Amino acid sequence: MSKRTAFLEAACKENVEDFLRFIQLHKDKTEPFDVEEVVQEMPRDQRQTLWGKLASLLQDVLQELPPERWDRGREEGMEEESAVDPKHVMAVVDGVTLVAAVSLNVLQDGDTYTALLEIAHRLHDVLVLLPVSESPLQHHIHMLCEAWWKKDLTDKEKFGRTAFLIALQKSFILKKPGAEIQRVWSLHDVLLSLDYMSEDNKQIVDLLLQCFHRPIYIRNDDGKRFLVFLFSWNVNFIWVIHGTIKNQLEFYSKTMTTHIMEIYFRAWKKASGDFLEQIESSCIQDFMQNAIFLHRSSPVHAKVRQIVSYFHSRKGCHAVDKMLHNLYKPILWKALSAANFEVRANATLLFTEAFPIHDPDQSNQKIDETIQKQLDAAMGLLDDTHPTVRSNATLGVCKILAKCWELLPPTIITDFLKKLVFELAADSSSPDVRCSVFKCLTIVLDNALSHPLLEKLLPSLKYSLHDNSEKVRTAFLDMLIKVKAVRAAKFWDVCNMDHLLARLAIDSHSVSKRIVDLLFKSFFPVNESDREWCCRCITLIQMNPMAARKFYQFAHKHTAPTNIIKLMLAIRRVLNSCIQTDFDQTDINESNKENSAQAEPLLGKDMVIVSRLLEVAVILWKSVEKALRQNEEAQKYTYAKFGNVIAKYFQTFEDEQCTAPLVQLASFMPPAAVPTFSCGVLSRLRRLEPGAAPSQYSQLLDCICSWGQVADILELVTDWLTEALPKQGDKVNANRKVRIQETVEAKPELALVYLEYLFSHTSTREKVLALGERPLKQLHTALGNWRSVLYTHLSSTTADPKSPDVETALKVFVYHGRLGAHLQHSSSKGREYLLSLEHVAAWIAERVLPFLAKRPNDDEEKEKSPPLAAKITESFLTVCRDVLLVGLGDDTFKGQMLHLCSLTLLSEAGYLCIPAVLPILKEVADSFAPDQAQENEEDPTTVMLGVVANIFHKIIELLVRRLRKEPEEGRQLCQSALPALTDFLQVAQAWDTAPLSGVFSTLFAVTVVEQSHLLQKITHPEEVITPESVEDMPPLPSILLSVILKSPAVTRAFLTEVSSSVDSEAISSLNEVAAVLRVLAVIKNVGQSKAALKSAATSAQQQLHKHAATSVDGSDIQRVIYESSVKTLNEILDL
């Protein structure tokens, strides 16, 4: 029996196992059996018989187990013995699908394929109902539907639609959908057979719109072709696509927008008839209008401009020129004269970018007239009243000149450039316009034909280098750099070298680096010898020493480190020519031979030039320090070269100007390289007197630190601080070794100066803190011992001449706290130094605060003790504020600080420390997030913030008391507390719940009480005046409201508290309600938080209505207060 006959007989229900075996043989690559070959060899009638039998087989197996039961059958398993195996059914369906697919490949013209069509319909129905888990079978039927469409067979629309829909859905699901997108494109003609308006196709329409949300479609070539095709599917679909893209435009990247504008252009290019008209009117012209009318701050404005600019870039093509002319005609020219400056500015950009906008079908004469009108319009835009329009017109005109220079008449070009250079570059009303001129002239410079004319005009701009706007100076220098790059003119002819150097000496980093870029080749010609570099360096120093410093600070950015080191060594050779030495004589002789003709005459004994050369050497060394560390050989060579002569430099160049750079040079080298100098640095620091200028010790301290000898200076500081303390009897600490060989008096003031320098600079501070715990702990202990000096000054009635002065002792006390904070930060374990600060807090509470409360009888003592006690307390609280600010304080430390604040305020003169207590409250409150607070009253956060609110309440009480007792002193105290109070309220407003909401309760209460108290004092109706500003309020409410009104957020929080308090009926009397309304009147005049203000006024209105009888029965004063309150209330509610 032949394979054909056997396969034909197997295609029935009775021989289904044989059929499945044949299918398996086909799939087995090692077997020679091929279903397609068998079907192809069959005669026409045999193939029709095969298809009929397969249709019956498919019908039978699907009746036994329909597709909707396949998943259910698999779950039920073998529970029922008679149940049909779903796997068997699917295998049969898969086999039939395979035979149907290969049958399509061998189908010939004239074949009757009714049975095959029946199979296709059944498989199509299976595909619709197929579970997602059966993706291989789904794929095979999908391929069959696709092949049916491409074969152009009966009912192809049905199969094509399904194939297209599934391919579209899969392209959204797959991780790598490239193949499916290609398939979608290959099936795109299916859409032409579908009705866009039909409800049946709504799913497909929605999926098509989703394609514009998918970056893979927009970037993929086939996807892009498909999206372009969608514009030609249905006219009504175009505006739907456009709306979808507009909604997504905000989220497209710049690259994605580039693809989108290409899709629009290709769709327009391929369109014709109604489609072309729709694309132009609904899409392109809509983008044009949006580019004109959108605010520049809109997130889509730049994207819209990018799309429109793409069409402008395609100008030169007849169709594009015609389209731009037609679409711009009804909108652009009106926009150029619109009242809104932003519309004019946007239209100016489009107009100049699309220039010339003309109808290519017109005659040449007509086109010339049109272009002339447009040039006149451009000139008019340069005179616009708004600077933004003038800036945009400047950009546009420069683009026109650069693009159309050859086509424009010389007179027009000259007029434009004169307008820019002589008028707009000097536009005193707007630095933006002046900046635009210089930025945009670089565009014109790109056209070489512009150089001869610009060479004549640009020198008139030279004073723009000194413009009072930095961005204008920066733009001017960028233009000069462009002039130099394109060789349009000699930049020094445009702007004199002296002017450039003068500006380099004093200007900002941004301007200076551009001047160096401009001048670098002039003063550092890398193609010349290092001798020439050095000569140019001396010339630059002679022209402008400060400019020379700046120039060499940036030099390393323009050349290799090797050249910088060569210049340093060349400077060394020039300096060597000024000294008489036998040391390194060979090098000096060589340098003399090389430089005798130029260096010696230039230098001679001019110590100013020598000092400047030394400064340049220092600047150069600093710039390549990192590169030298990476090249050990070059580093050693440089050390050796400068180490050989540094000692002689110190001997010869004794001028004060030379000392500082020489010390810095020495600091770059190891101490062994400068033995003579390094041995004397510590002695020089010892011998300095208190009050020495920073220049006398700063360089020396840097040297000590860079040499790794910071322990020596720390020991000196510790010794001085220890020795300066008053001795108890003649007892001396025998355990301490005296390492100072010179007999030098202890200088605690100088020790503090050294400490301040070491801890104020990052590089030196890191080296100090890297010493380890032992020397720093000794210093910390020595600083802490000075508390006894402070206590002596507090408690003694007469000054001890042998005791250190109080100012020094106070500074030492502060440094003790600061050093503790540094050590706690660098400590990896425990809270030893926080504990030390807590001990100091306990010492203040026990020893200092009693003096803050004591009231001696002696007037002189009365003036002395409280201020010193207050200074000690304030100094310590300031240090603790910094500890909290950097996040070093834990909850225990915060609690101790709040306790100290409470004790301070309870002292009789504790009010003096209010400006120092408020920052502590702010930092404690700021260390907790509002969501950390819990309703549990015993929660540590709630407890601590409750303490903060209570202390703030006490502060307000003290301020009220001082203002009543000593008004002038109270006002000064309030003024000094203003900055801290502002910061604290800014933190407190973030808490809209207890306990910190009590802060605003306190503020509201004191404000109303003070204002109410003022109303009670009124004796005549004419005295009832509604305050207009905070200055019209009583002293404390005036100060508090001025702080509250600085911040809208704090104002809202305060008004929320006003509403809450009034609603709770805590405010009842007429005077109190009137006081509330007077406060609201002041807030109204500031114009903040209108919604919250009206809410508070509404609450006050309910309380005020209760006193309506007062207007009839009350006294004259009460009646006037009520009427005034009603008037104020109505004014607020009418906002």
Side-chain angles (χ1 to χ4, degrees), residues 250-362:
E250 181 180 352
F251 310 104
Y252 287 149
S253 65
K254 192 172 182 179
T255 307
M256 290 294 292
T257 308
T258 303
H259 291 298
I260 287 292
M261 63 196 191
E262 188 181 339
I263 288 168
Y264 270 110
F265 183 77
R266 285 164 58 177
W268 170 80
K269 197 173 180 181
K270 291 185 177 182
S272 60
D274 293 341
F275 289 92
L276 179 62
E277 185 181 339
Q278 184 74 355
I279 291 173
E280 288 184 349
S281 61
S282 296
C283 304
I284 301 173
Q285 194 170 53
D286 183 51
F287 277 132
M288 290 173 171
Q289 288 179 319
N290 282 307
I292 291 172
F293 295 114
L294 275 174
H295 286 291
R296 292 156 67 98
S297 57
S298 167
V300 297
H301 182 261
K303 313 285 178 60
V304 172
R305 283 270 297 111
Q306 188 181 346
I307 292 171
V308 175
S309 294
Y310 186 82
F311 284 91
H312 296 163
S313 68
R314 296 289 182 150
K315 275 178 63 64
C317 165
H318 181 281
V320 175
D321 288 345
K322 179 80 173 175
M323 178 267 291
L324 291 175
H325 174 267
N326 292 339
L327 298 187
Y328 272 134
K329 189 175 181 179
I331 57 174
L332 183 62
W333 311 115
K334 289 180 183 178
L336 287 173
S337 56
N340 185 293
F341 82 89
E342 265 195 284
V343 172
R344 296 200 308 276
N346 292 340
T348 299
L349 284 178
L350 295 184
F351 160 54
T352 52
E353 191 175 75
F355 178 89
I357 302 172
H358 67 285
D359 184 351
D361 292 334
Q362 290 179 332

Side-chain angles (χ1 to χ4, degrees), residues 645-810:
V645 292
I646 195 79
K648 199 66 181 175
Y649 287 174
F650 273 110
Q651 292 174 14
T652 307
F653 308 138
E654 294 179 339
D655 190 271
E656 188 177 345
Q657 296 180 70
C658 299
T659 304
L662 281 173
V663 171
Q664 278 193 297
L665 272 179
S667 71
F668 293 142
M669 295 183 277
V674 282
T676 309
F677 172 72
S678 61
C679 292
V681 170
L682 197 58
S683 296
R684 289 172 70 174
L685 287 168
R686 283 198 194 101
R687 288 196 296 271
L688 286 178
E689 293 300 323
S695 59
Q696 293 179 271
Y697 59 79
S698 58
Q699 307 290 345
L700 299 175
L701 288 173
D702 284 336
C703 274
I704 290 282
C705 292
S706 65
W707 292 336
Q709 297 174 357
V710 69
D712 295 339
I713 193 67
L714 218 60
E715 184 179 358
L716 174 64
V717 168
T718 305
D719 287 343
W720 276 349
L721 291 171
T722 304
E723 291 168 11
L725 284 172
K727 303 290 187 295
Q728 296 181 358
D730 294 325
K731 185 177 180 181
V732 179
N733 186 355
N735 292 329
R736 183 164 183 81
K737 295 180 181 179
V738 180
R739 297 187 183 179
I740 301 178
Q741 297 174 0
E742 306 171 56
T743 305
V744 179
E745 180 187 355
K747 303 170 184 174
E749 299 88 352
L750 201 55
L752 292 178
V753 169
Y754 291 169
L755 270 185
E756 174 66 26
Y757 184 84
L758 290 172
F759 279 96
S760 298
H761 297 79
T762 306
S763 58
T764 52
R765 181 171 63 246
E766 288 175 352
K767 290 183 170 63
V768 170
L769 295 175
L771 280 176
E773 192 173 0
R774 188 171 174 275
L776 291 168
K777 199 167 185 178
Q778 288 177 351
L779 175 61
H780 188 253
T781 304
L783 290 166
N785 292 337
W786 276 67
R787 289 204 300 270
S788 61
V789 177
L790 282 176
Y791 185 72
T792 301
H793 281 287
L794 273 172
S795 55
S796 64
T797 55
T798 57
D800 184 359
K802 295 183 180 179
S803 178
D805 66 90
V806 67
E807 291 300 325
T808 302
L810 197 57

Side-chain angles (χ1 to χ4, degrees), residues 894-966:
K894 293 171 192 172
Q896 291 292 330
M897 291 308 103
L898 290 177
H899 180 62
L900 177 61
C901 290
S902 299
L903 294 176
T904 302
L905 295 176
L906 290 172
S907 302
E908 191 171 343
Y911 62 86
L912 295 171
C913 298
I914 286 175
V917 170
L918 278 169
I920 296 288
L921 301 187
K922 180 254 180 184
E923 295 304 333
V924 171
D926 203 24
S927 64
F928 298 105
D931 55 358
Q932 283 183 284
Q934 300 178 9
E935 294 183 5
N936 181 9
E937 293 184 1
E938 296 181 1
D939 176 65
T941 301
T942 306
V943 171
M944 198 168 294
L945 292 175
V947 173
V948 169
N950 291 338
I951 292 175
F952 180 76
H953 186 79
K954 181 65 179 175
I955 287 173
I956 297 298
E957 284 183 2
L958 289 174
L959 291 176
V960 171
R961 195 177 304 160
R962 291 317 300 168
L963 282 165
R964 288 179 180 170
K965 194 171 183 179
E966 297 283 347

